[in-house]
Amino acid sequence: MSIFSIATSGLSAASLRVNVAASNIANVQTTGPLPASGASTSAGAGSSGIAPTFPAAYVPLRVDQVSQSSGSTPGGTIATVSTVSPSYIAQSDPSAPFANQDGLVAAPNVDLASEFVELATAKYSFIANAKVIQAYSETTDSLLDIKT
């Protein structure tokens, strides 16, 4: 595996980390009904008998990154996205129309501090891999200059 492909796999993984962390941060307050309470509740007084349906709470994601190997030459990385387990925590919000009888809703299981650490990690990983590509390019240019 070439230096260039190793560095670009690192850039791709860092980009995926940023996208996932940004999605988790943006949706940290996207609550929904608790799964055990069903996906719908009655609208209360004056209901026509048809219960409104509410969307589920946001399901947070995480990036799993492992080393990539091709035959006997290891190098690079592979990043995949999976869901966080458990994906929600019960949170008190009795004013929500989809709250259960105890006033609880499902809130995404997102730790904001961890998400900002992921963003910082992705930033420095992206910088490091970009520097590798830059050094590779400069070295290649220098080698070509020597031959001419």
Side-chain angles (χ1 to χ4, degrees):
M1 186 164 239
S2 75
I3 293 170
F4 185 74
S5 62
I6 292 170
T8 55
S9 72
L11 290 173
S12 295
S15 177
L16 188 60
R17 282 187 182 282
V18 168
N19 288 334
V20 167
S23 178
N24 287 344
I25 291 168
N27 290 293
V28 72
Q29 294 184 347
T30 307
T31 60
L34 284 170
S37 67
S40 63
T41 63
S42 64
S47 174
S48 64
I50 300 174
T53 303
F54 297 101
Y58 171 75
V59 177
L61 304 171
R62 71 168 193 238
V63 175
D64 300 312
Q65 192 170 339
V66 295
S67 294
Q68 177 178 322
S69 298
S70 61
S72 63
T73 311
T77 187
I78 297 174
T80 57
V81 177
S82 60
T83 59
V84 172
S85 181
S87 63
Y88 71 91
I89 54 173
Q91 177 179 332
S92 178
D93 186 3
S95 64
F98 46 81
N100 68 6
Q101 63 275 13
D102 298 324
L104 299 176
V105 298
N109 187 12
V110 174
D111 178 19
L112 284 176
S114 295
E115 296 304 326
F116 282 104
V117 168
E118 285 292 325
L119 286 174
T121 302
K123 173 186 173 182
Y124 292 115
S125 174
F126 198 89
I127 290 169
N129 284 293
K131 291 285 186 183
V132 167
I133 291 172
Q134 181 181 12
Y136 177 76
S137 174
E138 290 171 0
T139 303
T140 303
D141 288 347
S142 295
L143 289 173
L144 293 175
D145 286 343
I146 292 171
K147 290 182 178 181
T148 57

